[in-house]
């Protein structure tokens, strides 16, 4: 085989490998020769640092070369100071250069570690190996870009069940706003006027009409009734509000309840609704047992003394204390 020693036998791959190794050896020999030449030329320069020598030895060598022959004391001191300053400056420059090289090396190591840490797929290892071909370099750049990407949340995943302080704060603010609106609306309803038809009952009926507010309690209503009836009935003038009773649909309504409660809760009595305070009758011509009566009777205002005396006689015998938890629908349907 051409270019090989006599008697060599091998494949073409062996020949290529041998030629590559020979080129490497030749390049190394050239580097060594250049270093030898440079080292030999540096030996004659007193201002340059010699490898393997201490600072004091270098200083003495350079000072001896500068002070050959007779010199004055001032020249002697001046040259020694100049040589020491020069050597110190060269040592400082060399130290700075070494520090700079060390920093560059550390920076390269950090970059390599960062690339390794950001890699998410196995083929990103190609970043470290490099490539001699242009296509390979482009692929490595794309891989680095992908490896350094940040993974975010999937917008299609349902996350409403997870805790979210911002969403909870918004919901709390919305609840408080709706609560304030509801309270204002209820206050407006309480202040609405209400016309009440009632009958003062002393064994006979004396029907009257009075204006009140929906938010008034039964006690406040009875106080206004007492003021309205006092000029006509002597027994009303001499009694107190606590001794007056309000009976609506055969139920005695305690003083602490308000008309607003009866209206909002759609309360019902034995013979009709407790949330209507006018007087009207059910005028339907066809009776339907599945539909409640639509009629309202005037409430009665009576003295407690009269009730205690006549509670065994109709209609007082039907009267009961109002209980919000008790239902009276069965008394207000046709057929019962």
């Amino acid at each position: 085989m051409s270019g090989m020693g006599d008697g060599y036998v091998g494949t073409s791959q062996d020949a290529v490998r041998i030629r590559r190794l020979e080129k490497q050896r030749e390049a190394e020999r050239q580097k060594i020769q250049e270093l030898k030449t440079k080292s030999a030329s540096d030996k004659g320069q007193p201002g340059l640092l010699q490898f393997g020598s201490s600072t004091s030895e270098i200083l003495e060598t350079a000072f001896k070369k500068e002070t050959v022959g007779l010199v004055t004391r001032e020249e002697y001191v001046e040259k020694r100071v100049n040589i020491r300053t020069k050597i110190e400056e060269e040592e400082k420059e060399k130290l700075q250069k070494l520090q700079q090289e060390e920093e560059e090396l550390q920076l390269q190591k950090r970059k390599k570690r960062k690339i390794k840490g950001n890699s998410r797929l196995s083929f990103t290892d190609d970043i470290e190996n490099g490539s001699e071909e242009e296509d390979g370099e482009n692929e490595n750049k794309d891989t680095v870009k992908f490896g350094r990407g940040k993974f975010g949340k999937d917008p299609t995943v349902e996350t409403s069940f997870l805790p979210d302080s911002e969403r909870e704060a918004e919901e709390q603010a919305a609840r408080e706003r709706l609560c304030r609106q509801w309270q204002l609306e209820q206050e407006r309803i309480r202040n609405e006027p209400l016309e009440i038809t009632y009958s003062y009952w002393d064994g006979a009926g004396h029907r009257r009409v009075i204006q009140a507010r929906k938010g008034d309690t039964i006690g406040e209503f009875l106080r206004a009734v007492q003021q309205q009836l006092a000029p006509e009935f002597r027994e009303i003038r001499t009694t107190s509000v606590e001794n007056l009773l309000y009976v609506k649909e055969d139920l005695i309504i305690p003083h602490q309840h308000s008309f607003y409660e009866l209206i909002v809760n759609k309360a019902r009595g034995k013979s009709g609704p407790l949330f209507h305070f006018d007087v009207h009758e059910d005028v339907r011509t066809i009776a339907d047992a599945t539909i409640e009566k639509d009629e309202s009777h005037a409430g009665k205002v009576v003295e407690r003394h009269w009730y205690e005396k006549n509670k065994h006689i109709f209609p007082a015998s039907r009267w009961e204390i109002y209980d919000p938890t008790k239902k009276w629908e069965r008394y207000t349907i046709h057929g019962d």
Side-chain angles (χ1 to χ4, degrees):
M1 186 177 295
S2 60
M4 299 293 100
D6 294 339
Y8 176 81
V9 177
T11 62
S12 59
Q13 294 179 352
D14 294 335
V16 172
R17 183 169 176 272
I18 291 171
R19 283 197 297 271
R20 186 170 65 252
L21 292 174
E22 288 180 350
K23 290 181 180 179
Q24 292 178 355
R25 293 192 185 99
E26 183 64 25
E28 291 177 356
R29 283 196 293 269
Q30 291 179 359
K31 288 183 179 179
I32 292 172
Q33 186 62 33
E34 290 176 358
L35 290 173
K36 289 181 178 181
T37 305
K38 185 177 181 180
S39 177
S41 61
D42 290 344
K43 289 181 180 179
Q45 299 179 8
L48 298 178
L49 299 179
Q50 303 298 324
F51 178 78
S53 300
S54 64
T55 304
S56 58
E57 293 176 352
I58 296 172
L59 178 61
E60 291 296 330
T61 303
F63 181 71
K64 288 177 181 179
K65 292 182 179 181
E66 289 292 331
T67 56
V68 175
L70 296 175
V71 293
T72 62
R73 182 177 183 277
E74 290 77 8
E75 291 177 347
Y76 179 87
V77 173
E78 182 181 359
K79 288 183 178 182
R80 189 172 184 87
V81 171
N82 292 338
I83 291 173
R84 177 178 292 276
T85 303
K86 188 175 181 181
I87 291 174
E88 289 177 353
E89 290 177 354
E90 290 179 357
E91 287 181 346
K92 186 176 180 180
E93 291 177 359
K94 184 177 180 181
L95 181 60
Q96 291 177 351
K97 186 176 181 181
L98 290 174
Q99 290 177 349
Q100 185 177 359
E101 291 177 354
E102 181 67 20
E103 291 177 357
E104 292 177 355
L105 181 61
Q106 293 296 332
L107 181 60
Q108 292 177 358
K109 289 181 178 180
R110 284 197 296 270
K111 288 182 178 179
K112 287 183 179 181
R113 284 197 297 268
K114 187 175 181 181
I115 293 174
K116 289 181 180 179
N118 289 335
S119 298
R120 294 292 184 272
L121 300 176
S122 59
F123 58 79
T124 54
D125 294 338
D126 296 338
I127 300 172
E128 301 175 9
N129 300 330
S131 175
E132 295 180 358
E133 297 179 356
E134 183 178 356
D135 293 339
E137 292 178 357
N138 294 334
E139 290 177 0
N140 288 338
K141 291 179 181 179
D142 295 339
T143 305
V144 171
K145 184 177 180 181
F146 179 81
R148 293 180 180 178
K150 294 183 179 179
F151 291 100
K153 293 190 293 186
D154 187 350
T156 62
V157 175
E158 177 63 31
T159 59
S160 59
F161 62 91
L162 296 175
D164 189 337
S165 57
E166 294 182 0
R167 184 178 68 245
E168 291 175 355
E170 292 176 357
E171 292 176 353
Q172 181 64 24
R175 283 194 292 268
E176 292 177 356
R177 183 175 65 256
L178 293 175
C179 182
R180 287 194 298 270
Q181 292 177 357
W182 183 85
Q183 291 175 349
L184 292 174
E185 178 64 18
Q186 300 310 305
E187 188 64 25
R188 184 189 65 79
I189 294 174
R190 289 189 182 94
N191 290 323
E192 289 180 353
L194 179 64
E195 185 177 86
I196 302 174
T197 301
Y198 72 95
S199 177
Y200 171 58
W201 189 264
D202 57 358
H206 308 277
R207 184 168 293 186
R208 298 286 187 275
V209 177
I210 192 171
Q211 293 287 335
R213 294 184 310 115
K214 291 182 179 180
D216 289 346
T217 63
I218 301 301
E220 293 171 339
F221 160 70
L222 291 174
R223 187 179 302 278
V225 168
Q226 183 188 33
Q227 295 174 359
Q228 187 182 43
L229 298 176
E232 300 180 41
F233 301 95
R234 183 174 58 85
E235 63 273 16
I236 293 295
R237 288 198 301 269
T238 59
T239 190
S240 63
V241 175
E242 287 75 15
N243 289 324
L244 293 178
L245 302 179
Y246 178 61
V247 183
K248 175 70 172 169
E249 307 300 344
D250 293 331
L251 294 180
I252 301 173
I253 313 298
H255 289 197
Q256 70 270 18
H257 293 287
S258 67
F259 297 111
Y260 170 81
E261 295 176 26
L262 301 175
I263 294 171
V264 170
N265 296 323
K266 300 290 183 182
R268 305 197 67 86
K270 288 185 176 183
S271 56
L274 298 178
F275 51 87
H276 291 318
F277 302 95
D278 58 348
V279 177
H280 64 269
E281 296 183 356
D282 193 341
V283 296
R284 291 177 295 181
T285 58
I286 300 176
D288 187 350
T290 63
I291 300 177
E292 297 178 354
K293 286 183 178 181
D294 183 20
E295 62 183 15
S296 176
H297 308 95
K300 296 179 176 63
V301 176
V302 300
E303 287 186 278
R304 189 181 298 273
H305 174 71
W306 183 95
Y307 170 70
E308 295 293 340
K309 182 178 179 181
N310 298 280
K311 63 182 178 181
H312 62 286
I313 303 173
F314 182 86
S317 61
R318 282 179 50 86
W319 298 349
E320 295 182 28
I321 301 295
Y322 168 68
D323 183 0
T325 63
K326 192 172 183 179
K327 304 299 181 183
W328 296 101
E329 283 82 353
R330 65 189 185 92
Y331 291 101
T332 59
I333 300 178
H334 282 288
D336 289 348

